[in-house]
Amino acid sequence: MSSLIEETRLLFEEIDRTRGAAVDELAKTGRTEKEKVHGEHRVLRMVDRISECSSQISETVADADGSWAREVAEISGPDEFSQFYAKLRDIRERHRRGGPEYVDAMPLNFVTVEDSIADEFGNGLVKFSGEEGHGKFLDMHALYSMYLNLPFVTEKIEYTEYLTSFDTLSEISSRVKNTGYRKYVEALRDYLVDFRRRAVPFANVDLALAKVQAEFDVSWAAGTFPGWGEDESAAAATTDQPPQELDLSQVGSAAELHAHGLDALKAALSARGLKSGGTLEQRAERLFSVKGLPREQWPKGVFAAPDKKKKKKAAKPAADVRREIAAVEAQVYHMATVLDQTILLTRENVERRQARSGIEIEQEEEEEVADMVVDEVEEEEDDTDEFYNPKDVPLGWDGKPIPYWLYKLHGLNVRYSCEICGNYVYRGPKAYQQHFKEWRHAHGMRCLGIPNTVHFQNVTLIKDAQVLWKKLKSQKATEAFQEREEEEYEDSLGNVVNKKTYEDLRRQGLL
């Protein structure tokens, strides 16, 4: 038995946790341009999740079916204790039947949300082309090719010049703004809008375009929108019109239709729903064969096959088509104004790349490959920050635990503690033997006032070192040269005696 109050509490908790995760994401510093853009997209996804939870809470509290009021009345009525114990029994029964999956639903729900955010944006789902540089530059090469293929473009311009002039649509005559031109400006608008959303996730593009549409409606109604002040009848003449039929009542033979040309015959055949292919003579014969006959008596072989892929739609009035094209132009003007700094940087980047030598291009490509490798290594390191290392095996040069057989081979499983070094622990006999010559052990011996000589090799206890030093000092004292006992003198008779005996004999006058 689910509880609306508990579900609402879980939603509030999820909002708090998601808000905290968004704050943590925005507080990160020292990030690259790529990490910054992806981080903003993750925060935007968290904001959407908060909005979803808030909407669910509002719907629950609105209580359209009265379930909220009934539940509140159950827990606040005179028998609230009976209701409490009834729900407690229900919860225990659920745990008994269902197991631990009912426990701690909120963390599980929140982990699912975080995983969905990571899957959607953490793996680079927000894509940028190599030319775009993670949102720093525009990549308009495809649009540049579309522009050059427009029928009214007679002079080829460079890509850098196109970057400067692509938004000067008002200079193009409205008489040539037909279906092909409409496809071009719509593709241009779609790319600019999509780039803005990818590069600046927090920008409210839809609201800005709505304002642009409102301003366009006013200017179009007043006839002040730039680029569309020419004679509408002349402009409408170039807009795609439905094919026109030829009057066959004055035609005496198929040869007389040859003068109209291939295009006119094709338009006349299409207008009647007939096949429009073939040579000039075939088209003329096909069109003349239906002269004066009702549609039911036309030969079966002249009908065009029905187009199953496309459904014919009623053609829009020319004025509406021109208005829609102009509205798209207004959106292009706005997006070009918003992205003016990006357009300037794009042109500078293109000019800089065009001025490079072959060696510089190769060096930059190598740097880009190296940066990609570094990013992949960093991602792998982030994915493998924590290793399963229950035996506390030392890490190798790659930051991963060394093989266990190598760990045993070098005796790293044996630990040696040195009290003189401050109870520092050394792994393996090699490190233990080397440490007697290192600074830590030498410093400890100096603090004890004992020289770090070979006599103290393998001595690690302070007491043992002090006892050994005392013994060495006593041995050194006994082995020292005794002047009175060991210094020798010779008398006049050639007798050799020590210093003490010689001085005694001399004082007695016996020499």
Side-chain angles (χ1 to χ4, degrees), residues 158-443:
E158 296 294 332
Y159 180 61
T160 54
E161 185 178 353
Y162 171 76
L163 291 173
T164 307
S165 61
F166 74 88
D167 57 337
T168 58
L169 303 176
S170 59
E171 299 179 2
I172 301 174
S173 175
S174 61
R175 305 186 183 193
V176 298
K177 295 179 178 180
N178 51 15
T179 304
Y181 172 80
R182 179 176 183 173
K183 292 180 180 179
Y184 163 71
V185 292
E186 287 179 347
L188 179 59
R189 184 269 317 273
D190 294 342
Y191 172 75
L192 295 177
V193 170
D194 178 66
F195 177 84
R196 176 69 174 173
R197 285 174 174 162
R198 287 182 290 127
V200 188
F202 294 146
N204 195 339
V205 180
D206 295 332
L207 179 61
L209 293 181
K211 293 181 179 179
V212 171
Q213 183 65 35
E215 295 173 357
F216 165 76
D217 293 338
V218 175
S219 61
W220 182 264
T224 58
F225 189 75
W228 293 88
E230 303 175 8
D231 183 16
E232 292 191 6
S233 60
T238 61
T239 307
D240 293 345
Q241 298 289 339
Q244 301 293 327
E245 297 186 10
L246 291 178
D247 185 10
L248 302 179
S249 60
Q250 304 298 326
V251 180
S253 63
E256 296 180 9
L257 295 174
H258 294 177
H260 294 281
L262 285 171
D263 295 336
L265 293 178
K266 180 178 180 180
L269 290 169
S270 299
R272 291 174 169 82
L274 304 178
K275 296 179 179 179
S276 58
T279 63
L280 179 65
E281 291 77 9
Q282 292 173 344
R283 295 181 184 182
E285 290 290 344
R286 192 180 305 120
L287 182 60
F288 187 75
S289 65
V290 299
K291 175 188 175 183
L293 298 177
R295 190 177 184 84
E296 293 79 8
Q297 298 180 6
W298 288 357
K300 295 183 179 180
V302 300
F303 287 100
D307 192 352
K308 298 180 180 179
K309 297 182 179 179
K310 299 181 180 179
K311 296 182 179 179
K312 295 183 179 180
K313 298 181 179 179
K316 293 183 179 180
D320 294 343
V321 174
R322 297 174 69 245
R323 179 188 175 90
E324 292 175 357
I325 296 175
V328 177
E329 290 182 353
Q331 296 174 354
V332 171
Y333 294 150
H334 170 74
M335 296 307 304
T337 303
V338 172
L339 298 171
D340 57 347
Q341 189 65 27
T342 306
I343 295 171
L344 178 61
L345 294 175
T346 302
R347 180 172 180 177
E348 293 177 354
N349 181 55
V350 172
E351 291 176 349
R352 183 174 62 254
R353 297 183 67 176
Q354 289 178 348
R356 293 175 308 171
S357 62
I359 298 176
E360 292 175 341
I361 294 175
E362 293 179 358
Q363 290 178 350
E364 184 170 344
E365 291 177 353
E366 292 176 356
E367 291 177 357
E368 291 178 355
V369 172
D371 292 339
M372 293 175 61
V373 171
V374 170
D375 292 340
E376 292 178 357
V377 171
E378 290 179 352
E379 291 178 0
E380 291 178 358
E381 290 178 354
D382 293 339
D383 295 339
T384 58
D385 282 342
E386 296 182 0
F387 297 98
Y388 180 69
N389 193 8
K391 296 185 179 295
D392 194 20
V393 177
L395 303 181
W397 62 270
D398 56 352
K400 298 180 181 179
I402 63 174
Y404 190 67
W405 63 268
L406 187 62
Y407 170 74
K408 296 280 288 185
L409 178 65
H410 290 285
L412 300 179
N413 57 326
V414 182
R415 289 173 168 80
Y416 301 89
S417 176
C418 180
E419 187 180 7
I420 298 176
C421 297
N423 292 322
Y424 192 84
V425 177
Y426 297 92
R427 286 188 171 189
K430 183 177 181 181
Y432 173 70
Q433 293 296 331
Q434 287 180 347
H435 100 278
F436 291 105
K437 302 176 183 179
E438 295 175 350
W439 67 270
R440 183 180 285 108
H441 191 83
H443 175 71

